[in-house]
Amino acid sequence: IVLLDMTTREVYNLVSTGRIVISEYSEEFPYKVKVIAGSPAFVQMSITSILEALPEAFALSPNYPNPFNPTTHIEYALPSPEQVSIQIYNLLGQRVASLVNEWQDAGYHQTAWHGKDQRGRLVGSGVYFYRIRAGKFTESRKMILLR
């Protein structure tokens, strides 16, 4: 029987470990652990498959489709739980829309932009930028809206 810490990716043997201290805890975000029980081979296979499904690094993928009308999808990867912000900007650097602003669990995520500003109004054709901020990670990409 093992406990897998989904934040630190540490594995604790619950049979031989007397006490486990979880030090990376936040009131803002649920702390996730998994308990795996079974034969040693099953436990090891389960741990491997769970950890392989988690990204190793932050990433922001190109939006698709690009150019787009009316909707585009943005995918990103988080190797650890983070406060995530995804914003849309026009060529003048003005914020057009906020797509994500919340704590998210480690893993692969996706959001969509429907070519609308914060008030729900359609924006015009043109070049826009989307930026992700997750912890210390920041990256921007360009996209084209064709109406």
Side-chain angles (χ1 to χ4, degrees):
I1 301 173
V2 300
L3 179 120
L4 174 59
D5 183 327
M6 298 296 288
T7 300
T8 64
R9 301 174 192 227
E10 292 184 48
V11 177
Y12 301 94
N13 185 331
L14 295 178
V15 174
S16 63
T17 305
R19 181 177 172 185
I20 298 170
V21 177
I22 297 176
S23 59
E24 293 186 30
Y25 173 79
S26 170
E27 291 290 334
E28 299 173 333
F29 188 77
Y31 197 86
K32 294 197 176 190
V33 296
K34 291 190 183 255
V35 175
I36 305 165
S39 70
F42 172 79
V43 169
Q44 187 57 49
M45 180 183 69
S46 298
I47 291 169
T48 301
S49 67
I50 291 167
L51 293 178
E52 284 176 350
L54 293 176
E56 292 292 323
F58 290 100
L60 178 63
S61 299
N63 64 300
Y64 66 90
N66 191 23
F68 70 96
N69 180 14
T71 300
T72 190
H73 300 276
I74 299 168
E75 295 180 346
Y76 51 100
L78 306 174
S80 61
E82 296 289 347
Q83 174 69 32
V84 177
S85 168
I86 298 180
Q87 310 289 323
I88 307 294
Y89 296 90
N90 63 19
L91 278 174
L92 298 175
Q94 299 164 323
R95 188 175 69 203
V96 174
S98 177
L99 303 181
V100 176
N101 189 18
E102 64 186 11
W103 275 93
Q104 293 188 336
D105 199 6
Y108 295 94
H109 301 271
Q110 176 180 314
T111 189
W113 185 44
H114 304 289
K116 296 180 180 180
D117 66 12
Q118 281 298 101
R119 296 182 181 179
R121 299 175 300 200
L122 293 174
V123 298
S125 295
V127 176
Y128 293 88
F129 297 90
Y130 58 103
R131 181 179 65 197
I132 185 172
R133 285 188 178 173
K136 295 179 182 178
F137 174 76
T138 300
E139 188 173 337
S140 298
R141 290 190 177 262
K142 179 173 65 171
M143 62 183 158
I144 300 170
L145 170 60
L146 294 176
R147 294 245 184 244

